[in-house]
Amino acid sequence: MTKSAILILLGPPGAGKGTQARMLEEKFGLVQLSTGDLLRAAVAAGTEAGKEAQAVMSAGGLVSDEIVLAILKDRMAEPDTQKGVILDGFPRTAGQAEALDDLLAAQGQSIGAAISLDVDDAAMVERVSGRYTCANCGEGYHDSFKQPAVAGVCDKCGSTEFKRRADDNAETVSARLESYHAQTAPLITYYEGKGVLSRVDAMGEIDRVAADLAAIVTQVTD
Ligand code: ADP
Ligand code: ADP
Ligand code: ZN
């Protein structure tokens, strides 16, 4: 890989961004950067930003660009991101997309690909409602679609502790879906205009989607 790859995964909650980002991390040596994970860490740490973010997240809204950008910039400044990053859940607003362009331009970098994971709204509710993760390593699972090989034991790390997100409930999900359509979906057109957009049918099985993504990522990292 000559230049560090900057990849964006766009898609509504439950599209499979986190699942696919982890698979791309393993396959291509990129680093997953999830603003949702970073915000949940800030909430858990009880920082000022975390306190402000918590109420918005539990209502299914979008955290302010100011907070999200501050958290993202700090993370992008860490050395491991030099290998290239998969932005999972960022940007989510036009303001964030423009700020990302400025940040990358200042570092002489640019976006390799923005990939939209396309799913039906109905599927996304089902995916989010059945989602849980390993409490130790963060591997994602689903009640129906992705169970551990041995029931109750994480495939990746052997932990027997799992957790569910407080915001993965029916009411919050519809608010999050609204935020997606109103504020994030327009970014598909934005990246199309820049000539970096790819679309992947994310209704297929996890491995099928992963194969489609790998084909795109191989092109931009070669
Ligand atoms: P996102 O990060 O976009 O919100 P996740 O990667 O967390 O989405 O996936 C949401 C849930 O759906 C998880 O429980 C995951 O195991 C499951 N999942 C992800 N991709 C697929 C797929 N292609 N088919 C069925 N279930 C999936
Ligand atoms: P999902 O992929 O299921 O939507 P995330 O973990 O990406 O979940 O995000 C969880 C919540 O964190 C969002 O509903 C939103 O409140 C907040 N959040 C995450 N990323 C951003 C962002 N880039 N801008 C604003 N809010 C964000
Ligand atoms: Zn684990």
Side-chain angles (χ1 to χ4, degrees):
M1 198 180 303
T2 43
K3 211 169 153 196
S4 63
I6 311 286
L7 305 173
I8 295 171
L9 291 185
L10 288 170
K17 301 179 298 295
T19 302
Q20 297 297 335
R22 286 176 74 95
M23 294 170 86
L24 290 171
E25 252 192 335
E26 277 182 24
K27 202 170 161 79
F28 293 93
L30 302 164
V31 170
Q32 174 194 17
L33 213 156
S34 154
T35 43
D37 286 348
L38 293 171
L39 287 166
R40 280 184 287 279
V43 169
T47 63
E48 277 309 308
K51 282 179 199 153
E52 214 175 308
Q54 185 166 31
V56 180
M57 290 168 80
S58 53
L62 291 180
V63 176
S64 71
D65 286 356
E66 192 190 352
I67 289 181
V68 173
L69 285 166
I71 287 181
L72 179 97
K73 280 183 186 163
D74 280 356
R75 183 65 186 87
M76 292 276 278
E78 286 175 32
D80 64 332
T81 61
Q82 293 304 313
K83 291 182 255 178
V85 292
I86 311 153
L87 297 172
D88 158 8
F90 178 92
R92 263 170 149 109
T93 65
Q96 291 177 17
E98 284 157 17
L100 176 66
D101 287 343
D102 293 346
L103 182 70
L104 294 176
Q107 298 171 348
Q109 288 178 302
S110 59
I111 292 159
I115 307 169
S116 170
L117 298 180
D118 297 333
V119 287
D120 301 349
D121 285 3
M124 153 280 122
V125 175
E126 199 182 6
R127 286 195 190 173
V128 167
S129 321
R131 162 161 64 188
Y132 62 99
T133 52
C134 171
N136 178 51
C137 75
E139 182 69 5
Y141 294 98
H142 191 280
D143 292 327
S144 315
F145 307 132
K146 187 187 164 194
Q147 289 157 318
V150 177
V153 182
C154 176
D155 294 340
K156 295 280 163 175
C157 76
S159 167
T160 54
E161 305 265 334
F162 296 89
K163 59 183 184 187
R164 287 180 193 263
R165 276 168 46 184
D167 60 342
D168 279 349
N169 59 66
E171 305 86 78
T172 312
V173 167
S174 50
R176 285 156 66 198
L177 193 54
E178 262 176 49
S179 308
Y180 173 79
H181 286 300
Q183 303 205 61
T184 310
L187 299 184
I188 294 174
T189 314
Y190 179 80
Y191 289 118
E192 197 167 28
K194 288 181 165 287
V196 293
L197 183 77
S198 296
R199 301 189 81 134
V200 166
D201 175 8
M203 290 299 293
E205 286 186 5
I206 292 176
D207 289 342
R208 172 76 252 156
V209 178
D212 289 350
L213 279 171
I216 296 167
V217 176
T218 301
Q219 280 189 346
V220 297
T221 53
D222 262 354

